[in-house]
Amino acid sequence: SKGIQIEGLSKRYGSGNTAVDALKNVNMQVAPGEVVGLIGPSGSGKSTLLKSLGAVIDPSAGRMTLGDKVIFNEGWQVPDLRALRRDKIGFVFQAPYLIPFLDVTDNVALLPMLAGMPNSESRKRALELLTALDVQHRAQAMPSQLSGGEQQRVAIARGLVNRPPVILADEPTAPLDSERAMAVIRILNDMAQQYQTAIIVVTHDEKIIPTFKRIYHIRDGVTHEEAGEGRGFD
Ligand code: ADP
Ligand code: ADP
């Protein structure tokens, strides 16, 4: 895996007088094994960048590589992109979209099951992550019975369970207290190390910002890189 490479990425919404340049020549690299922060005010282009990587929208210009695959070159369309990025990216969304009729374990175990892993092994892997996230006592609960913080931790487990080479996390720690936020960061760093995952964490969370070694700031669609405090997570 070569991690994430973004070169000269631009996105224009609309055209003419009402055009919005949401990304302007963005360059970004995340190495395998690295966890980087992406920080910027509302409207700065964070979602547009994640949606470009996730093939939800097609960028206007530039080039992107995930792992060993080119997933975007100028002129490519979203349907091409979706096929290419399948199985490559784990998402941790801000609002946890859990499946209401599956219990917590099966919400997490579903992806490995669909990928062909035996049910018992999928559930075992799900439980390991739920334990690491301190929500194992809710393993048999239904999503509607969980608190917001518990739902968020289950959604994190689901985003990580398939050990994808790339993880995009959108405000993963927002509803969590310090201790649990740090546990999430520790797990992301462990995953990165163990499986050579490249991880981007979009965040405003002052609790976790000092843990990053490298941070991309984004403002009006322009990114710049900065060394973080890199204090770690213990
Ligand atoms: P953030 O996630 O940092 O809040 P966004 O990527 O959502 O920023 O938005 C970046 C800019 O692009 C903003 O000016 C926003 O208004 C604009 N924008 C986002 N989505 C659309 C869209 N579908 N159509 C037109 N403009 C959009
Ligand atoms: P569908 O595949 O049914 O068209 P969507 O258009 O909602 O569903 O999303 C397509 C894929 O993009 C899904 O796999 C989803 O996980 C991912 N996705 C949805 N929203 C975002 C987002 N804001 N950022 C990154 N990826 C997203």
Side-chain angles (χ1 to χ4, degrees):
S1 164
K2 299 193 182 77
I4 303 169
Q5 314 275 347
I6 298 173
E7 297 162 70
L9 196 74
S10 296
K11 173 64 183 178
R12 169 169 291 184
Y13 291 109
S15 60
N17 284 341
T18 56
V20 175
D21 289 308
L23 296 176
K24 301 169 189 162
N25 193 28
V26 166
N27 295 295
M28 188 184 254
Q29 294 82 37
V30 187
E34 201 183 17
V35 182
V36 306
L38 176 63
I39 301 174
S42 178
S44 59
K46 302 181 300 294
S47 308
T48 301
L49 186 57
L50 284 196
K51 286 177 187 169
S52 298
L53 280 168
V56 178
I57 59 169
D58 49 337
S60 309
R63 183 181 149 93
M64 292 188 287
T65 312
L66 290 187
D68 297 320
K69 274 199 172 131
V70 177
I71 60 150
F72 179 74
N73 239 323
E74 263 167 76
W76 291 17
Q77 301 295 310
V78 163
D80 306 330
L81 303 177
R82 289 210 174 157
L84 284 171
R85 74 93 212 263
R86 192 166 296 144
D87 304 328
K88 292 259 174 270
I89 303 185
F91 292 102
V92 177
F93 293 114
Q94 213 165 344
Y97 295 105
L98 299 176
I99 299 170
F101 52 84
L102 294 180
D103 73 14
V104 161
T105 304
D106 281 352
N107 260 281
V108 179
L110 182 66
L111 280 174
M113 285 177 186
L114 291 176
M117 187 184 283
N119 289 0
S120 59
E121 207 180 313
S122 301
R123 291 197 175 108
K124 185 164 167 275
R125 194 190 271 196
L127 262 174
E128 282 167 12
L129 269 174
L130 291 168
T131 302
L133 287 156
D134 191 29
V135 70
Q136 72 284 356
H137 57 293
R138 306 299 268 149
Q140 260 94 61
M142 300 307 279
S144 61
Q145 300 172 300
L146 305 178
S147 72
E150 287 170 343
Q151 286 183 31
Q152 183 66 23
R153 283 177 282 152
V154 174
I156 290 167
R158 195 178 53 179
L160 309 189
V161 70
N162 264 358
R163 299 174 190 163
V166 168
I167 291 170
L168 306 178
D170 192 1
E171 297 282 4
T173 60
L176 305 180
D177 63 32
S178 284
E179 200 175 320
R180 288 183 167 135
M182 283 304 163
V184 168
I185 289 296
R186 192 176 306 118
I187 288 161
L188 291 175
N189 278 275
D190 287 351
M191 284 261 327
Q193 292 268 303
Q194 201 175 342
Y195 304 111
Q196 290 299 293
T197 318
I199 302 180
I200 297 178
V201 180
V202 171
T203 190
H204 291 104
D205 188 344
E206 298 294 342
K207 301 190 290 294
I208 67 169
I209 289 173
T211 69
F212 298 115
K213 294 198 181 76
R214 222 152 57 78
I215 292 173
Y216 285 92
H217 289 274
I218 182 165
R219 179 174 279 272
D220 293 334
V222 178
T223 50
H224 43 206
E225 188 191 329
E226 229 179 62
E229 294 178 43
R231 279 194 224 144
F233 34 89
D234 292 321

